[in-house]
Structures are given as C-alpha cells and as structure tokens.
C-alpha cells in the first residue's frame, strides 16, 4: 500500500502514501515561512462585524461546512485540528475527516447522525472493540443492534437500518472481512469500517466501498501513547453532519492533540512497516512454541498478534518485564493485555466467547524494540506450568515481513 498514489477533491497531484504522510496538512507552511505547523490554542476569536459572524454561524447550522472567513469559536473548528483532518483524509482517500476527543466519541457521533434521521437500527459484525460492542448492545443512544456474520448482513437490513459496522482486522481476534463484498451487501446503507488496526498503510476501506472509516487515533495514528483522539474519514456531506454533532455535544479534539496527531502521521508508514516486521517474526516463533495453542495474525500483516496459551494467561501477563502489561495498542513500545479481563470484559461472557475471545487469549501490540529482546521477554513469560502439549491451530498464513528480510511460510497445526 505504501506505493499507492492518493488524490483528493482539491486536485492535489498524485503522491505516494509515504509522501502524503509527511506533507499532507502542511503544504502551505513554506509559503508562510514556517517549517513546523503552528498550534492555535484559542477558544474564541475576535469579530468586529457581528452581522457577518451571525451569517457564518447560520451557514454552519445549515450544512455543517467549515465556516469561511474568520473563525468564531473553538467548538466550530480549530485550524491545528483541521490540518490533521486534512492529512488523514488524504491518507484514507476520502473528501474529508472529522476529529473527536476519542474513538468512542467519534463512533457516538456517527450513531447520532443516523439516529437523528430516524435510522436507529445498526447491523454489526462481531468481534468489535469491547466498548463499541457495549455501546450498541446496551442501547445507550437509543439504537437497536442486530449482530450477524458478514454473510447475513443483507438479510439483517431493515427500512430503519442506518449503519453497518465492522472492524477488520477485528479487535482482538484479528479476524478479517472482505470489505468490498460487505459493502456490496449493504446496498444503500453506509458501511462503517473500523480501520484502527490496519491503518491506511495496510488498507484503505474507502477504495473497497466503505463510506465511513473510523479510527481510534489514540493508537497508530498518534503512535506514542500520549494522545487520545478519534476520527472519521468520509465524504463532505457526512462530514458536515458530524461537525454539527461535534458542535452540539462538545466532543472536540484539543489543538495540542491535533498537533501531536499530525506529527504522528509523518512517521506512520515507517512505524507500521517496522512493527509489522517484528510482529510477523514473533507470530512464527509463537506458532512453533508448544506453550502456545493458537496464533491469530492477519493476512494483510500488521503489528497486532493474538495468541492463546496452554498455561495461565494471567501468569504470562505478570511475568513480562520489557513488554508493558497495559491496555491500548499502536505505540512504539510493545503492549500485552488479556482481552477477557480488560478490553472486552464489558461484553457478555457468552457473546465474547462465541466471537472467539477465549479466556486464554492474549493480545500483543508489537512495537519497535529489537525483536530478539521481545522474544526473550515472551519466552521467559511463557515459562509457566501447562497441561500437556496441546494442538496448535492457526487462522491465517503469515505474509512476508515488510522489510523483506525473510519469506515466512504458513503456520501449520501440530
């Protein structure tokens, strides 16, 4: 995907993804005599023409379009955040993007947009991130959800269906969905694809028919574990509706977070490739280890691994020293967590297990450390009592590491 060319509604010349990651959202800086993007921390902006200001507010209320002319108030938009939104839209190949204070705020805004039109029914494919699952299942926003597998999406659609939601690769099992086929099954109903795990480096769902692309920008887009944010990439019409929800609910992204996210995008392709190479190597070693009963790793690659252990997963968590035992993912350092206890604890246990989230599953977000140091830490942590050798089964073959150092073979049952 790194060699893919991108284009935008602004008719910017086609550029490689790696080039866009560095330059998108910054194209005007040199003309202003700047190198680093400025941070605008203003919450409000002066205006000596209140009639003109009122007209800009009226225009925003009508369409949700970014107000022309001087800015009005931080809840309507911020120039630093807008730079990140422009850059992310370019990387995902969409007309626009709208940033929020968290990934859950972004998903909430999408659901509210559809509900406001009387389209309260959602069709969703498990597994999803645990809090996304809970938001839908609990009906906290007045929505109703039908859970189905990808083949059942068309039959699950109703006249009041406002959204089809899928995560691919999925959290935490890394199950993958044919997005193009799923988008076709949705008909006129928008498909929202959570692209947090893959990032636009590995897949661009808009090219496969998804109308909405969701990111927990806290993860790979920020990439350093120091910013919380969410973003939806989409067409301009839907972006306007999202901006209106953001204005009404106040789920705005702080300008400093917008700056950090724009900075994170510049190294996104490099970080994803390097972490993916580490992950592919670790997936192979785990698959060959008798202490591991199953390894999940996506066909498209990436830096996430899920694996099931023969012994006590809690003991593995307690024994890591280099790897950080913590929730979240996508940082430069490697993180490990037990989904059934943490990220997916809020999901009903039966639903959790039927979606493949077993009690022995561990999720590993692989970072940029030396792979030998990571393996040493994992090898030590896995030295816990276990019952017999077990059988190792895997869901997918392993693609070659992104750095081309080796050509892995398919993981085989023992």
């Amino acid at each position: 995907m790194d060699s893919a060319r991108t284009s935008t509604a602004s008719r910017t010349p086609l550029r490689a993804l790696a080039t866009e990651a560095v330059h998108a959202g910054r194209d005007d800086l040199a003309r202003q005599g700047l190198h680093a993007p400025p941070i605008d921390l203003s919450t409000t902006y002066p205006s000596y023409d209140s009639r003109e200001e009122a007209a800009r507010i009226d225009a925003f209320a009508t369409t949700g379009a970014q107000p022309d002319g001087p800015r009005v108030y931080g809840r309507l938009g911020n120039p630093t955040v807008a730079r990140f939104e422009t850059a992310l839209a370019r990387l995902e190949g969409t007309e626009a993007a709208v940033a929020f204070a968290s990934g859950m705020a972004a998903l909430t805004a999408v659901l509210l947009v559809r509900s406001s039109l009387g389209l309260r029914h959602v069709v969703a494919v498990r597994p999803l991130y645990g809090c996304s699952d809970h938001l839908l299942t609990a009906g906290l926003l007045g929505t109703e959800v039908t859970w189905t597998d990808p083949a059942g999406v068309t039959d699950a659609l109703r006249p009041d269906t406002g959204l089809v939601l899928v995560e691919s690769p999925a959290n935490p099992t890394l199950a993958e969905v044919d997005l193009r086929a799923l988008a076709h099954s949705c008909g006129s109903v928008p498909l929202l694809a959570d692209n947090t795990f893959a990032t636009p480096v590995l897949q661009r769902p808009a090219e496969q028919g998804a109308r909405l692309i969701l990111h927990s920008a806290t993860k790979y887009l920020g990439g350093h574990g120091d910013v919380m944010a969410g973003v939806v990439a989409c067409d301009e019409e839907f972006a306007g509706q999202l901006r209106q929800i953001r204005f009404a609910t106040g789920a705005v992204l702080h300008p400093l977070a917008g700056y950090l996210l724009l900075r994170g995008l510049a190294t996104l392709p490099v970080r994803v490739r390097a972490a993916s190479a580490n992950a592919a190597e670790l997936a192979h070693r785990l698959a060959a280890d008798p202490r591991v009963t199953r390894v999940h790793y996506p066909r498209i690659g990436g830096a996430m691994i899920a694996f099931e252990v023969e012994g006590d997963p809690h003991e593995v968590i307690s024994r890591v020293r280099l790897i950080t035992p913590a929730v979240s993912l996508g940082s430069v350092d490697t993180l490990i967590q037990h989904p059934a206890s943490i990220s997916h604890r809020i999901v009903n246990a039966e639903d959790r297990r039927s979606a493949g989230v077993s009690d022995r599953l561990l999720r590993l977000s692989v970072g940029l450390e030396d792979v030998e140091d990571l393996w040493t830490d994992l090898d030590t942590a896995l030295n816990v009592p276990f019952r017999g050798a077990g059988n190792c089964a895997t869901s997918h073959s392993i693609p070659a590491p992104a750095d081309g150092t080796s050509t892995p073979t398919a993981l085989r049952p023992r």
Side-chain angles (χ1 to χ4, degrees):
M1 175 58 72
D2 187 54
S3 61
R5 319 302 287 190
T6 64
S7 63
T8 70
S10 60
R11 300 185 186 279
T12 301
L14 294 176
R15 303 192 295 200
L17 184 74
T19 303
E20 289 285 25
V22 173
H23 290 280
R26 304 171 180 84
D27 291 321
D28 63 325
L29 294 180
R31 294 191 298 275
Q32 298 183 53
L34 299 172
H35 185 237
I39 306 175
D40 186 336
L41 296 173
S42 298
T43 58
T44 191
Y45 299 86
S47 174
Y48 292 96
D49 189 338
S50 57
R51 293 184 182 86
E52 181 188 355
E53 188 171 56
R56 293 199 302 277
I57 293 175
D58 287 346
F60 177 82
T62 302
T63 65
Q66 296 280 19
D68 293 328
R71 295 194 175 264
V72 179
Y73 188 56
R75 224 170 352 110
L76 274 78
N78 173 275
T80 306
V81 173
R83 288 182 180 277
F84 162 66
E85 293 171 331
T86 296
L88 193 276
R90 294 261 282 272
L91 293 182
E92 284 289 7
T94 59
E95 292 178 344
V98 183
F100 294 86
S102 70
M104 291 307 301
L107 175 57
T108 296
V110 172
L111 295 173
L112 289 176
V113 165
R114 303 305 283 167
S115 293
S116 70
L117 301 174
L119 303 171
R120 299 180 181 276
H121 179 241
V122 178
V123 175
V125 177
R126 278 192 174 116
L128 295 175
Y129 168 53
C131 287
S132 299
D133 188 309
H134 176 67
L135 182 65
L136 296 175
T137 303
L140 296 174
L141 300 177
T143 55
E144 179 186 348
V145 63
T146 297
W147 295 101
T148 184
D149 57 29
V153 166
T154 299
D155 290 339
L157 298 177
R158 305 186 329 204
D160 63 338
T161 303
L163 192 70
V164 175
L165 176 57
V166 68
E167 188 173 356
S168 182
N171 186 354
T173 65
L174 304 176
E176 296 172 274
V177 171
D178 183 336
L179 292 177
R180 191 178 303 279
L182 187 61
H184 179 74
S185 299
C186 293
S188 61
V189 177
L191 172 62
L192 185 152
D194 189 326
N195 204 33
T196 299
F197 277 20
T199 82
V201 177
L202 299 179
Q203 82 180 356
R204 300 208 294 176
E207 295 177 349
Q208 301 175 59
R211 184 179 175 189
L212 307 167
I213 300 94
L214 174 70
H215 286 271
S216 173
T218 307
K219 313 307 193 292
Y220 289 103
L221 303 189
H224 293 77
D226 56 8
V227 59
M228 185 170 289
V231 63
V232 180
C234 55
D235 56 58
E236 179 55 38
E237 179 185 359
F238 206 100
Q241 296 171 313
L242 288 173
R243 293 186 196 107
Q244 290 176 317
I245 294 293
R246 183 176 64 181
F247 173 75
T249 61
V252 295
L253 184 65
H254 192 274
L256 181 57
Y259 172 86
L260 290 173
L261 289 168
L262 184 63
R263 187 177 70 171
L265 289 185
T267 60
L268 179 66
V270 177
R271 287 186 287 105
V272 169
R273 286 199 302 268
S276 297
N278 278 350
E281 177 61 27
L282 291 177
H284 277 292
R285 297 190 188 189
L286 288 168
D289 196 304
R291 299 166 295 183
V292 176
T293 60
R294 190 175 182 87
V295 173
H296 307 262
Y297 188 71
R299 291 183 179 89
I300 64 170
M304 299 298 300
I305 306 171
F307 62 100
E308 299 172 37
V309 295
E310 183 71 27
D312 185 345
H314 301 285
E315 287 296 320
V316 177
I317 293 282
S318 72
R319 289 170 179 253
V320 294
R321 293 296 178 264
L322 175 65
I323 297 168
T324 303
V327 297
S328 200
L329 57 107
S331 184
V332 291
D333 60 323
T334 300
L335 308 177
I336 192 170
Q337 66 112 339
H338 182 241
S341 295
I342 309 294
S343 63
H344 289 70
R345 187 68 177 179
I346 202 168
V347 179
N348 175 274
E350 183 178 342
D351 292 335
R352 191 170 65 226
R353 295 184 187 111
S354 66
V357 186
S358 79
D359 291 340
R360 292 186 179 273
L361 184 75
L362 292 169
R363 191 190 72 186
L364 190 70
S365 171
V366 182
L368 303 181
E369 302 95 338
D370 185 272
V371 71
E372 296 299 335
D373 290 331
L374 290 173
W375 177 248
T376 297
D377 198 36
L378 273 177
D379 181 46
T380 301
L382 286 167
N383 279 329
V384 295
F386 64 98
R387 303 184 309 275
N391 291 317
C392 178
T394 67
S395 301
H396 309 305
S397 62
I398 302 295
D403 63 0
T405 54
S406 64
T407 305
T409 56
L411 300 178
R412 298 182 177 90
R414 290 193 300 274

